[in-house]
Amino acid sequence: MTREPGRDAPIGVFDSGLGGLTVAHAIMQQLPGESIVYVGDTARVPYGPKSPETVRRYSHEIADFLLHQGVKAIVVACNTATAHALPMLEQELDVPVIGVVKPGARAAAKGTRNGHIGVIGTAGTIRSGAYDAAIRAEAPDAMITSRACPLFVPLVEEGWVDREATWIVAREYLEPMLLASVDTLVLGCTHYPLLKGVIGEVIGRDVRLIDSAEETAGDTRRMLRENQLESGARRGTYRFIASDDPGQFLTLGQRFLGDAIEHVEVRPFG
Ligand code: DGL
């Protein structure tokens, strides 16, 4: 596609659902002049248990849609989509694209003192080995303990961020991390930053929790600067698009964004 979006064009941010709003929120905080078009594929969430091919197909469709909205860059806010589809998107898109895996992996490699790093994420993310590869690229000698924590996603979506059930699940999931004495834990899923309280308590307060959202916003800034795409606007504007029921987006979205969402457009995919 031959098109040249200007510096004030929006950034496209997409996720399998609402969780990527944690990344959008971090971008809004760190880059207040940037406009955002956010797509949450709420009709097809979760991506975590789906095959790499399916996640790549969904990611391709959404990226294509975002390009038609005139975005100047794309941030893949979903860890699972990043793990499966980022190399493909980097190859096929004419605009700069970044994901959430590299920023988180780099922060973990930098942050560890004893070289033991834990990674938690969806089944797809952990199975892909994307975090392991990205961490090893930064710290070849790191000892990595990975674990899929699929139950964390529905617990967060229920708003159960501090219930007994959540504590029980967290203790079970994080046991291998405790046994491996990790001193740094990558929260490799959009939803997990909302469980920082429980996870931090179970794993121990001295373990550094890496929130990919914050790191990714920092990388977004660098990416825009390198490509001379930083917006000159004082305040960005935001569009939120869901592929299914906007009601759920409006009620749950605030939990992830930390701010009220007033309007959600609906755009079915597939
Ligand atoms: N957004 C997904 C991720 O970060 C979590 C939810 C899902 O499984 O789709 O991996």
Side-chain angles (χ1 to χ4, degrees):
M1 203 180 296
T2 49
R3 27 180 304 287
E4 294 263 322
R7 310 172 75 107
D8 290 334
I11 303 169
V13 179
F14 81 87
D15 178 43
S16 55
L18 301 167
L21 288 169
T22 54
V23 176
H25 181 249
I27 295 172
M28 290 170 188
Q29 297 293 305
Q30 291 191 34
L31 307 170
E34 297 297 337
S35 294
I36 293 175
V37 179
Y38 180 92
V39 172
D41 195 2
T42 49
R44 302 186 293 196
V45 68
Y47 284 9
K50 296 198 168 74
S51 72
E53 294 72 30
T54 299
V55 174
R56 279 196 277 275
R57 179 160 52 82
Y58 292 174
S59 302
H60 173 85
E61 278 170 19
I62 296 171
D64 196 48
F65 169 76
L66 284 169
L67 290 181
H68 281 94
Q69 307 308 302
V71 301
K72 63 183 175 187
I74 291 182
V75 176
V76 185
C78 176
N79 290 259
T80 311
T82 301
H84 293 319
L86 186 66
M88 173 196 79
L89 294 176
E90 281 172 336
Q91 249 194 350
E92 61 183 32
L93 300 186
D94 287 339
V95 299
V97 51
I98 61 166
V100 283
V101 169
K102 232 186 249 171
R106 199 183 47 235
K110 233 190 269 166
T112 185
R113 294 165 301 272
N114 70 2
H116 293 248
I117 298 173
V119 180
I120 54 177
T122 66
T125 297
I126 297 304
R127 220 179 299 124
S128 76
Y131 268 106
D132 295 48
I135 292 169
R136 286 208 196 290
E138 300 282 339
D141 298 329
M143 273 155 295
I144 305 168
T145 306
S146 308
R147 171 118 206 213
C149 304
L151 292 174
F152 279 165
V153 169
L155 285 168
V156 168
E157 301 226 328
E158 271 305 302
W160 285 27
V161 292
D162 190 22
R163 296 283 188 97
E164 190 48 30
T166 313
W167 285 89
I168 292 167
V169 170
R171 281 189 207 105
E172 173 95 28
Y173 278 155
L174 298 175
E175 203 189 328
M177 307 294 158
L178 290 164
L179 291 173
S181 303
V182 305
D183 73 350
T184 304
L185 180 67
V186 180
L187 307 178
C189 173
T190 47
H191 288 56
Y192 301 175
L194 277 83
L195 294 175
K196 260 184 191 166
V198 173
I199 292 173
E201 203 63 54
V202 170
I203 194 92
R205 289 273 161 222
D206 48 341
V207 172
R208 190 179 297 224
L209 301 182
I210 305 292
D211 176 348
S212 309
E214 294 297 330
E215 302 297 330
T216 303
D219 270 32
T220 305
R221 179 202 298 278
R222 272 189 291 280
M223 167 186 74
L224 295 178
R225 195 179 298 146
E226 279 163 16
N227 291 281
Q228 283 147 29
L229 283 173
E230 288 164 297
S231 165
R234 204 122 39 88
R235 252 237 91 80
T237 57
Y238 309 127
R239 278 175 71 197
F240 300 98
I241 300 166
S243 55
D244 196 15
D245 179 20
Q248 185 219 24
F249 206 114
L250 288 166
T251 49
L252 281 184
Q254 186 164 0
R255 199 171 288 159
F256 292 95
L257 193 65
D259 268 328
I261 296 174
E262 271 150 35
H263 178 66
V264 177
E265 301 164 45
V266 178
R267 203 296 182 179
F269 293 98

